[in-house]
Each structure stands twice: as C-alpha cells, then as structure tokens.
Amino acid sequence: MHTISFITALLFSLFAITHALPEASPDIVPILEARKNGNGGNSTRGNGTNGNSVNKACRTMAKLTKLTNLAANQTKLDAMIASGKINATEVDAIKAKAANATSELQTMQSNTTLVSECAVVDAHQAVLKECKQMTKLTKLADLATNQTAMDALMQKKNLNDTQMAKLQERIANATTKLKTLQGNTTLTDLCTQQAQQKGKSQCLVIPRVWRPQAMITMLTLYRLFF
Ligand SMILES: *[C@@H]1O[C@H](CO)[C@@H](O)[C@H](O)[C@H]1NC(C)=O
Ligand SMILES: *[C@@H]1O[C@H](CO)[C@@H](O)[C@H](O)[C@H]1NC(C)=O
Ligand SMILES: *[C@@H]1O[C@H](CO)[C@@H](O)[C@H](O)[C@H]1NC(C)=O
Ligand SMILES: *[C@@H]1O[C@H](CO)[C@@H](O)[C@H](O)[C@H]1NC(C)=O
Ligand SMILES: *[C@@H]1O[C@H](CO)[C@@H](O)[C@H](O)[C@H]1NC(C)=O
Ligand SMILES: *[C@@H]1O[C@H](CO)[C@@H](O)[C@H](O)[C@H]1NC(C)=O
Ligand SMILES: *[C@@H]1O[C@H](CO)[C@@H](O)[C@H](O)[C@H]1NC(C)=O
Ligand SMILES: *[C@@H]1O[C@H](CO)[C@@H](O)[C@H](O)[C@H]1NC(C)=O
Ligand SMILES: *[C@@H]1O[C@H](CO)[C@@H](O)[C@H](O)[C@H]1NC(C)=O
Ligand SMILES: *[C@@H]1O[C@H](CO)[C@@H](O)[C@H](O)[C@H]1NC(C)=O
C-alpha cells in the first residue's frame, strides 16, 4: 500500500517539475550559459575532447592580438588619452605588456592547426554575437509598431522630448539595421539553428539544476501521503 502511494507521489512530483520548467527557464539561462562555457564542463563547441582547451587558447590569442594591435596603434591610443579613458602611464603599461606578449603570440600564430581552429571558433562567436544583436534590435524595432509598449516605456523611463527624439532615432536606426541583417539568410538560418541547439542543451541540463526542487516536492508529497 505504502509502495503504491509512494509511487503516486513520485509521479506527481515528476509532473510538477515538468510543468514548472517553462516559467523557470529564463532565470536559469545564465546558469546554463555559465555551465556550458565554464571551467568544469566540456564545451559544446568544437569537436574533440580538448574543445575547452582550444577555446581557451583561442581566447588568449584573440586577447593578445587585440593588445598588440592596440599598442601599435598610436592614433587609437592618442584618442583614448584625449577622451580621458586612459592616461600616459597606462599607455606605457599597455606597450610593456604587448612587448612581453610578443613571443607568446608568435608561438601561437605559428601553430597552423590552432590558427585554423580559432578561425572556426571566432566565426562561430561572431555569429552568436550577431544573433544576439538581432534579438536586441528586434525588441527595439518592435516599438515602432507597438504604441502600447512605447507608451509603457515612456512612462517607465519618464522621457523628456529630447530623449524621446533620440529614442525615435534609435528605433529608426534599429529598424534599418535589422532589415539589413534579416536580408542575410545565411545569418538568419544560423541563428535559427543556434536557437534550436540552445533549446536542446537546456532540456539536457535542466533536470540537474532542478534536482533540489525535485527533492523538496517529493518530500512534501511524501509527508502528505504518510
Ligand atoms: C569531457 O568529455 C570527455 C569525453 O566525452 C570525458 O571523458 C570527460 O570526463 C569530460 N570532462 C568533464 C569535465 O566533463
Ligand atoms: C566539427 O563538427 C562540425 C559539425 O558538427 C563539422 O562540420 C566539422 O568538420 C568538424 N571539425 C572537425 C575538425 O572534425
Ligand atoms: C587604429 O585605430 C583606428 C580607430 O581608432 C582605426 O580606424 C585604424 O584602422 C587603426 N589602425 C590600424 C593600423 O589598425
Ligand atoms: C593613471 O591612471 C591610473 C589608473 O586609473 C592611476 O592609478 C594613475 O595614478 C594615473 N597616473 C597619472 C600620472 O595620472
Ligand atoms: C611577461 O609574460 C610572462 C608570461 O606570459 C608573465 O609570466 C609575466 O608576468 C609577464 N611580465 C610582465 C611584466 O608583464
Ligand atoms: C597546436 O595547436 C593544437 C590545437 O590547439 C594543439 O593540439 C597542438 O598541441 C599545438 N601544437 C604545438 C606544437 O603547440
Ligand atoms: C505590444 O507590447 C505589449 C507590451 O510589451 C505586448 O503585450 C503586446 O503583445 C505587443 N503587441 C504586439 C502586436 O506585438
Ligand atoms: C532631458 O533629459 C536629459 C537627461 O536627463 C537632460 O540632459 C536634458 O537637458 C533634458 N532636456 C530637456 C529639453 O528637458
Ligand atoms: C542613427 O544612425 C545614424 C547614421 O548611421 C547615426 O549618425 C546616428 O548617431 C544614429 N542615432 C542613434 C541615436 O543611434
Ligand atoms: C551573412 O552572414 C554571414 C554570417 O555572419 C557572413 O559570413 C556573411 O558574410 C554575410 N553575408 C553578407 C552578404 O553580408
């Protein structure tokens, strides 16, 4: 008898968890992202078991390349000083760091396997960035045709006329940019694929995140029954 009740409780708790998921998903997305790219887990990008270490090497190489390019671009450094972003002391530090990184960067760049792997990784990252940008632009552009949302935003932000005009301009710009991006079917297809993959990986990971919740639900139901 108790066994049957227990199984019923178990089934109820599973039902409860499954139905709690859709609402909970947005909150756990950051956790999933962190897990996916984080220290412990295997990367979902790249094929080999060393996917993570390649990703890491690519990030290092991108960072060092950026640093080296910046240190060599006096125009940009001058502009950054002029705008008060950095001072002369920091410029010296940047140059010293870049000089110190030269040999490490050269070693990495001489590894043709790594360079070609990073080209793939970087392209993937660039697409991800574009997809995110499209999502953002869509939200902004949607305001142009949704007076309700527009009014709500105005009220919430308490915008004055100047700010309002600026927002209208941003919306118009977003609409133009979005149209250009959406005209690229290669990109839109990749974004669709990406969204589907993300959906799949979430389904796989969510149960782990929700294990504590499952325990609580089970215990609650167990107490109800016995
Ligand atoms: C990464 O994946 C490999 C092979 O699939 C596995 O042997 C290894 O334990 C995984 N590492 C982690 C931290 O999950
Ligand atoms: C990695 O996987 C992708 C698709 O899953 C494939 O197109 C690519 O050729 C693979 N790369 C290597 C080096 O195996
Ligand atoms: C230096 O930086 C400026 C932007 O501040 C950029 O327009 C220019 O192309 C850069 N020069 C080089 C050689 O990368
Ligand atoms: C430059 O900026 C750094 C960090 O913001 C600061 O610690 C330093 O005192 C500044 N140096 C000069 C000469 O202003
Ligand atoms: C120079 O680079 C090495 C290895 O990349 C690092 O351990 C060291 O701290 C760096 N030195 C300076 C002054 O940045
Ligand atoms: C070159 O890069 C590949 C991929 O990251 C790595 O497996 C290999 O060990 C590297 N080769 C050398 C000589 O460092
Ligand atoms: C307009 O925006 C509101 C609030 O964000 C939203 O609830 C509504 O579904 C939107 N209407 C259309 C037609 O997109
Ligand atoms: C609108 O608000 C901005 C920021 O609060 C302010 O700088 C600006 O002077 C305001 N303009 C008018 C016309 O009130
Ligand atoms: C809109 O786009 C134009 C042209 O690209 C640019 O000059 C302007 O600063 C943009 N406005 C806003 C508010 O982003
Ligand atoms: C379309 O997007 C893809 C992926 O970002 C990019 O590689 C390609 O150059 C774009 N095509 C055009 C015509 O902009």
Side-chain angles (χ1 to χ4, degrees), residues 85-91:
K85 266 190 199 149
I86 52 173
N87 61 33
T89 318
E90 285 165 307
V91 168

Side-chain angles (χ1 to χ4, degrees), residues 3-4 10 25-26 31 43 68 78 81-82 110-111 114-115 134 164 175 189:
T3 317
I4 290 168
L10 194 70
S25 294
I31 303 168
S43 171
T68 303
D78 286 345
I81 293 176
S110 69
N111 184 338
L114 182 63
V115 169
M134 268 173 81
M164 195 60 208
T175 309
D189 286 352

Side-chain angles (χ1 to χ4, degrees), residues 127 131 134 185-199:
V127 168
C131 297
M134 268 173 81
T185 49
T186 313
L187 178 62
T188 51
D189 286 352
L190 284 169
C191 291
T192 309
Q193 265 176 38
Q194 176 56 34
Q196 281 166 356
Q197 262 171 24
K198 212 169 157 188

